[in-house]
Amino acid sequence: MEKNIQLGDKVSRILQVILFFSLPALSLFLCRNTDKWIMIVSLVLAFGISFFLVRYIFKNIFENINVVNLIFSFLVSDYILFYYYSYHKILPFRNNYYSFADWKLTILTILSMFALTIIVYFLWKKLFPAVKKFFKSLTKFEKIFLIVMFFGTLIVTIVLFNKTTAYYYAKDIYWDILYTSDSSANYIYDSYFNINSPMNEPGKQPLFGIFALPFAVVSKFLSQIFFFIPNGYAIFSVTVQIFAMAVAWLMLIRLLNLKENSKWELLLLLVCSFTTISFALILEQYLLSLFYLILIIYSYYNMKSEVNYSYIAGVGTLLTSGIMLPFVSKTVKPQKCLLNLLKCFVAGVIITIIFGQLPFIFDFFESVFNNLNSFGGKDFTFADKFIQFLNFVKGIFVAIPAEAMPTIAVGLEHLSYYLTEVKEYSILGIIILVICFISFIINRKNKMAIISFAWIVFSFLLLCVIGWGTQENGLNLYSLYFSWAYIILVYLFFTRIISNDLIRRFLIVILAIVLLYFNIPEFINIIRFGIINYPL
């Protein structure tokens, strides 16, 4: 059988008409829970977007169809919609959707199938070559690194997730088990697969479910293939997100243009840092936000297109990544730059509407205000926030004191593993900041040194000046999102002041051993806390 088939004009037009009605059906099917008038507005806009897509974007997609890819896209779409149909039926997901009668829901599901199949087919056609090219270009060392990260995480989580539920489903406790992470809520509400999970907040991570979905499909599919592994979905979800983080690290290494025999040095520091160790077990959205953040930078320097559409994924998975706006357009010519920004904005609006997320706009400002009110540092002096910030910087590299303590979340008292309150300035935090500043000065011609330093400045503005997270003494929750910039500048500091490769590598190994000396005992404490207080 031929892999590609040619469709006549008449068949193509019929399929275009079907797609025109199928896209709004998909939008309605995925629409967030809201009142009917907002849904009507969303549906009307979806028809307008559908006309645009059919007329200009999907116009030629039916002229030459790859049968294998189409079948694959259909199976993936069917797989996704099967679970979304279930989400409409069961708690705790039922309240996240507008209530449809069963027969209406069935019709919407069937109508949505064609649209989602074409979307998956289109994205596969556009993105798979780039993904394939990236993985084909991996060196032997990079492949070994990814394999070790994947199977190492898999083995550890299989053992621990079948001894404790603390890291993914702690009974009725949804929030704040390990530090201030929401791993239980992310698992219970299926934030990675369920676009409309309440954890995907309009004022924080409005489109997280859309861009986490490809990773969730892989996790869910693997858990069903290896059905004999208990708690498989949670285990593979953590494993896949750690794999995504490892890929992000390799993208950073390529941006730094490190020599093949030097790549392990930076990777060693990244792996041994406490921010990595503390995120190794939990289902936390920041890992995928980190992946898409790094993808924005990587795509900017490697893409052929003038518009960096990965920016939509970066901002959609975490709004603070919006600061990366300069990386949207390859050209700096004012008119063309504005046009490229407009193209990216329009693409973001299309994604928002077609995937039924338009209603979040009506809750956006209220959500941002509530988040600032709940997690901002309005009740703290600048000195208090600076103390927390310095300990945050320290906590990127080495463990900071934490202990089990009683906590009340949504009226339920439970034990949490929280950071102890910090009242003194961290000398190590100050030293790290000084090293990063010096590193930026001596490496100021290096593009990644400039980007890293700018990201450190942004972390200071967000976490110290605004005080995001200081209200609950939980800045370590954001450490992974910012850590790469600090670790890169520390590494560049070593490479610049120590020209002898042998001496530098020896010192980096010693530094890694020191990091593990402080971090492994804390990792053991985290495990012990989970097994004792939240046994399976």
Side-chain angles (χ1 to χ4, degrees):
M1 185 179 73
E2 293 288 334
K3 288 187 178 181
N4 296 303
I5 59 174
Q6 302 289 331
L7 298 178
D9 291 340
K10 187 175 181 179
V11 176
S12 294
R13 289 193 191 98
I14 292 172
L15 292 177
Q16 287 174 5
V17 171
I18 295 173
L19 183 60
F20 172 73
F21 288 101
S22 183
L23 286 165
L26 177 65
S27 178
L28 188 61
F29 180 72
L30 297 176
C31 195
R32 284 175 178 261
N33 180 34
T34 185
D35 65 68
K36 68 176 183 179
W37 291 110
I38 295 177
M39 288 188 70
I40 290 171
V41 171
S42 181
L43 187 61
V44 170
L45 291 174
F47 270 106
I49 294 296
S50 181
F51 175 80
F52 172 79
L53 290 175
V54 173
R55 180 69 179 83
Y56 297 102
I57 306 301
F58 298 140
K59 181 181 179 181
N60 301 319
I61 199 169
F62 299 114
E63 291 182 359
N64 190 8
I65 295 289
N66 185 297
V67 176
V68 175
N69 288 348
L70 186 64
I71 293 173
F72 168 79
S73 302
F74 172 77
L75 293 175
V76 170
S77 302
D78 183 59
Y79 188 77
I80 293 170
L81 289 176
F82 168 78
Y83 280 98
Y84 273 94
Y85 184 87
S86 302
Y87 290 156
H88 278 280
K89 296 283 190 180
I90 61 174
L91 290 173
F93 305 101
R94 189 180 298 158
N95 294 329
N96 301 322
Y97 295 87
Y98 187 83
S99 297
F100 292 110
D102 286 353
W103 66 272
K104 292 180 181 179
L105 186 59
T106 302
I107 292 173
L108 271 179
T109 306
I110 295 170
L111 288 175
S112 301
M113 181 65 67
F114 187 66
L116 191 57
T117 298
I118 296 303
I119 290 172
V120 173
Y121 178 83
F122 176 79
L123 292 175
W124 182 264
K125 185 179 178 181
K126 291 287 184 181
L127 299 179
F128 180 70
V131 175
K132 183 179 178 181
K133 180 181 178 182
F134 177 84
F135 282 100
K136 282 189 71 174
S137 67
L138 292 175
T139 64
K140 182 179 180 181
F141 169 77
E142 291 171 336
K143 290 176 182 176
I144 292 173
F145 172 71
L146 290 180
I147 291 171
V148 170
M149 288 294 288
F150 182 88
F151 285 102
T153 305
L154 181 61
I155 292 169
V156 171
T157 50
I158 286 175
V159 173
L160 291 180
F161 280 32
N162 287 292
K163 289 184 176 294
T164 174
T165 62
Y167 316 123
Y168 63 99
Y169 182 30
K171 298 179 181 178
D172 296 323
I173 310 301
Y174 289 17
W175 296 275
D176 303 341
I177 299 296
L178 183 61
Y179 302 121
T180 55
S181 69
D182 299 325
S183 52
S184 287
N186 284 326
Y187 179 76
I188 292 166
Y189 289 115
D190 207 354
S191 300
Y192 300 85
F193 204 101
N194 177 20
I195 291 175
N196 294 313
S197 165
M199 302 306 295
N200 303 333
E201 302 174 55
K204 187 179 177 184
Q205 296 165 309
L207 305 180
F208 181 86
I210 296 174
F211 295 104
L213 189 57
F215 298 95
V217 169
V218 173
S219 302
K220 199 173 283 287
F221 187 62
L222 286 174
S223 69
Q224 290 174 335
I225 291 178
F226 299 97
F227 60 91
F228 49 86
I229 298 178
N231 307 306
Y233 183 44
I235 288 167
F236 281 108
S237 293
V238 171
T239 302
V240 168
Q241 72 177 15
I242 293 293
F243 182 82
M245 180 186 71
V247 171
W249 287 350
L250 293 185
M251 287 192 283
L252 286 174
I253 282 175
R254 293 190 174 194
L255 289 168
L256 283 163
N257 295 317
L258 296 182
K259 296 178 181 178
E260 186 64 23
N261 58 358
S262 298
K263 292 177 180 179
W264 65 268
E265 300 170 24
L266 178 57
L267 287 174
L268 186 63
L269 294 180
L270 287 164
V271 170
C272 295
S273 66
F274 184 65
T275 184
T276 299
I277 290 174
S278 61
F279 273 87
L281 298 176
I282 59 177
L283 275 168
E284 182 51 63
Q285 292 162 299
Y286 286 102
L287 281 96
L288 294 187
S289 298
L290 169 70
F291 170 81
Y292 282 115
L293 170 70
I294 303 304
L295 184 62
I296 293 174
I297 306 171
Y298 185 82
S299 297
Y300 178 82
Y301 287 106
N302 291 276
M303 67 183 184
K304 295 179 181 178
S305 171
E306 285 193 355
V307 185
N308 187 1
Y309 291 107
S310 62
Y311 178 79
I312 303 169
V315 178
T317 51
L318 196 59
L319 284 178
T320 49
S321 296
I323 198 72
M324 305 301 285
L325 191 65
F327 290 88
V328 172
S329 176
K330 287 284 283 187
T331 179
V332 293
K333 295 178 180 178
Q335 287 185 329
K336 206 154 191 181
C337 182
L338 287 173
L339 179 61
N340 291 339
L341 291 175
L342 181 61
K343 287 179 180 179
C344 192
F345 174 77
V346 170
V349 170
I350 290 172
I351 292 170
T352 300
I353 293 174
I354 291 300
F355 283 90
Q357 302 303 292
L358 182 67
F360 89 78
I361 292 177
F362 297 92
D363 301 323
F364 175 76
F365 292 106
E366 182 183 357
S367 179
V368 170
F369 175 79
N370 290 337
N371 279 329
L372 286 173
N373 194 48
S374 301
F375 304 110
K378 58 183 177 61
D379 298 329
F380 291 81
T381 65
F382 180 79
D384 292 332
K385 290 184 285 188
F386 189 55
I387 288 173
Q388 284 200 42
F389 178 74
L390 288 177
N391 280 274
F392 154 80
V393 174
K394 170 188 173 182
I396 289 173
F397 292 87
V398 298
I400 43 182
E403 61 182 331
M405 58 181 72
T407 307
I408 297 178
V410 198
L412 295 174
E413 183 173 336
H414 62 279
L415 273 180
S416 296
Y417 196 74
Y418 263 22
L419 298 179
T420 55
E421 186 179 355
V422 289
K423 298 181 179 179
E424 297 180 354
Y425 295 97
S426 169
I427 301 301
L428 179 58
I430 294 172
I431 292 172
I432 293 170
L433 284 177
V434 171
I435 290 174
C436 289
F437 181 75
I438 295 172
S439 180
F440 166 66
I441 297 298
I442 61 180
N443 293 286
R444 59 188 178 277
K445 293 183 179 180
N446 185 314
K447 69 176 184 288
M448 284 305 297
I450 297 171
I451 293 170
S452 298
F453 186 73
W455 198 241
I456 287 175
V457 171
F458 179 59
S459 72
F460 175 78
L461 293 174
L462 184 66
L463 303 179
C464 186
V465 177
I466 296 177
W468 183 265
T470 53
Q471 194 76 24
E472 54 181 2
N473 189 33
L475 294 191
N476 65 317
L477 185 62
Y478 317 108
S479 61
L480 190 69
Y481 183 63
F482 290 107
S483 63
W484 57 273
Y486 291 85
I487 296 172
I488 283 176
L489 282 177
V490 168
Y491 175 72
L492 290 177
F493 176 80
F494 274 95
T495 60
R496 193 61 186 268
I497 65 171
I498 305 174
S499 57
N500 186 292
D501 288 349
L502 188 61
I503 295 175
R504 184 187 70 250
R505 288 166 185 166
F506 174 75
L507 290 176
I508 286 176
V509 170
I510 295 298
L511 177 59
I513 293 173
V514 172
L515 292 178
L516 291 176
Y517 175 80
F518 287 101
N519 294 336
I520 288 180
E522 187 62 18
F523 184 65
I524 293 173
N525 288 338
I526 292 171
I527 293 172
R528 186 182 293 118
F529 165 81
I531 293 174
I532 293 174
N533 296 290
Y534 296 93
L536 188 66

